[in-house]
Amino acid sequence: MISAVFWSSWMVNPNFLPQGHPGQTVHSPNGDFKAQVYHMSGFIDYKNVRVDIINNETKKKEMIYYNYVDKSLDIMWVGDDTLKIEEKYLQVDKDKFNYRTEYRGLE
């Protein structure tokens, strides 16, 4: 029972993810936000990446992207509030991508 609760929490709650190792930081064109990339690897051969958005004014930090990536992450700002991460376009105030829930149809 406890393992089922832990597993389901891990699937939907970003607080269960490890922080990871800091990678690149990409600042928005207007300086309002920065995207911080974190790389994680486990005890088996997999690599995950998470991207947190930090609002430079409020210092609020929120994960907007989590995925399996086995290469350098392709990330760039395409507007003051829109990031292109790999093939995904994410508006920082409303969009998120998390392969753990999207892959399993939980979003």
Side-chain angles (χ1 to χ4, degrees), residues 12-88:
V12 297
N13 188 342
N15 294 326
F16 275 79
L17 294 174
Q19 182 67 35
H21 305 288
Q24 69 192 101
T25 301
V26 185
H27 297 272
S28 65
N30 64 2
D32 289 349
F33 302 99
K34 67 180 173 182
Q36 178 65 57
V37 178
Y38 295 95
H39 299 277
M40 293 167 273
S41 59
F43 59 91
I44 56 176
D45 188 24
Y46 70 86
K47 295 177 183 143
N48 293 312
V49 67
R50 87 186 255 168
V51 177
D52 289 345
I53 293 295
I54 296 112
N55 182 314
N56 288 328
E57 185 178 325
T58 65
K59 305 301 183 209
K60 182 181 173 196
K61 180 176 171 180
E62 187 171 4
M63 184 187 83
I64 69 161
Y65 185 85
Y66 184 79
N67 203 0
Y68 172 85
V69 179
D70 198 14
K71 62 180 184 71
S72 292
L73 187 67
D74 180 21
I75 181 171
M76 63 189 250
W77 289 92
V78 293
D80 289 335
D81 66 350
T82 303
L83 265 175
K84 179 180 181 271
I85 306 174
E86 295 301 317
E87 70 284 348
K88 306 275 185 217

